[in-house]
Amino acid sequence: GAVVSQHPSRVICKSGTSVKIECRSLDFQATTMFWYRQFPKQSLMLMATSNEGSKATYEQGVEKDKFLINHASLTLSTLTVTSAHPEDSSFYICSAETGYQETQYFGPGTRLLVL
Amino acid sequence: AQSVTQPDIHITVSEGASLELRCNYSYGATPYLFWYVQSPGQGLQLLLKYFSGDTLVQGIKGFEAEFKRSQSSFNLRKPSVHWSDAAEYFCAVGANDYKLSFGAGTTVTVRA
């Protein structure tokens, strides 16, 4: 149980285009999902907390107009990187919180490369 | 705010040998503590967690961790390492706001 999927697993796009990443909890409902960014050989950096039916809460320094988050249902959250630039290239990981003991389950990640 | 320190950036261990990864946390109250493992290019898999009760926690893949309040530590151990245990290991602490703070991670290399 507690499986989280992400799609796509890998995406290459041109600079200036927008990319949407989906995060789904497959076998449980998640009122809260999280979006992280991970640079090579580094730890996870929390970007934003996504709550179903409400606006996402962004961490300090994260541009909310650049990283649009939508949590339309209890099993789906999306992250859209708008007008992507090469510096946005990174590994993006989502997680979903089960509501029990504050445990988060992570998706497999999405590798974004902006050319 | 809570924080986590993983003092060891990289550990190399022989297959079959024991492994211990250190984790120290800073938090004013009793924390929720987690160990996650990440294989290259993959997401994080939960190994085990401490919420309350017994301070020795058993996890998946033969891992265990011990919560020591007096030392603010939550070290991860495995008696006998397998080559498949080569990965990045993250310790994390949660407060009551559902956010996790991660350590910098420890890379484990297993030599034959």
Side-chain angles (χ1 to χ4, degrees), chain A residues 34 36 38 42-44 46 49 59 91 93 97 100-109 111, chain B residues 32 34 36 38 41-44 46 49 51 90 94-100 102-105:
Chain A
F34 302 87
Y36 296 85
Q38 186 180 32
Q42 294 188 26
S43 188
L44 280 73
L46 179 65
T49 303
E59 295 299 302
F91 192 55
I93 306 177
E97 203 263 328
Y100 178 64
Q101 295 182 350
E102 299 203 13
T103 303
Q104 294 182 27
Y105 291 89
F106 286 79
R111 177 78 58 192
Chain B
Y32 306 119
F34 306 83
Y36 287 90
Q38 184 181 33
Q42 301 295 315
L44 276 67
L46 179 66
K49 63 183 178 182
F51 180 73
F90 293 98
N96 288 316
D97 59 358
Y98 300 100
K99 293 183 183 179
L100 293 181
F102 285 86

Side-chain angles (χ1 to χ4, degrees), chain A residues 79-98:
Chain A
L79 168 68
T80 301
V81 183
T82 62
S83 187
H85 288 92
E87 58 266 29
D88 298 323
S89 298
S90 191
F91 192 55
Y92 293 89
I93 306 177
C94 73
S95 71
E97 203 263 328
T98 62

Side-chain angles (χ1 to χ4, degrees), chain B residues 14 23 30 35-36 38 50 53 59 70 73 85 89 91 98 107-108 112:
Chain B
S14 297
C23 172
T30 299
W35 274 100
Y36 287 90
Q38 184 181 33
Y50 172 78
S70 61
S73 69
D85 293 322
Y89 291 79
C91 181
Y98 300 100
T107 301
V108 173

Side-chain angles (χ1 to χ4, degrees), chain A residues 65-84:
Chain A
D65 294 330
K66 177 153 193 70
F67 299 100
L68 299 179
I69 292 173
N70 183 277
H71 194 159
S73 77
L74 289 173
T75 60
L76 173 65
S77 177
T78 60
L79 168 68
T80 301
V81 183
T82 62
S83 187

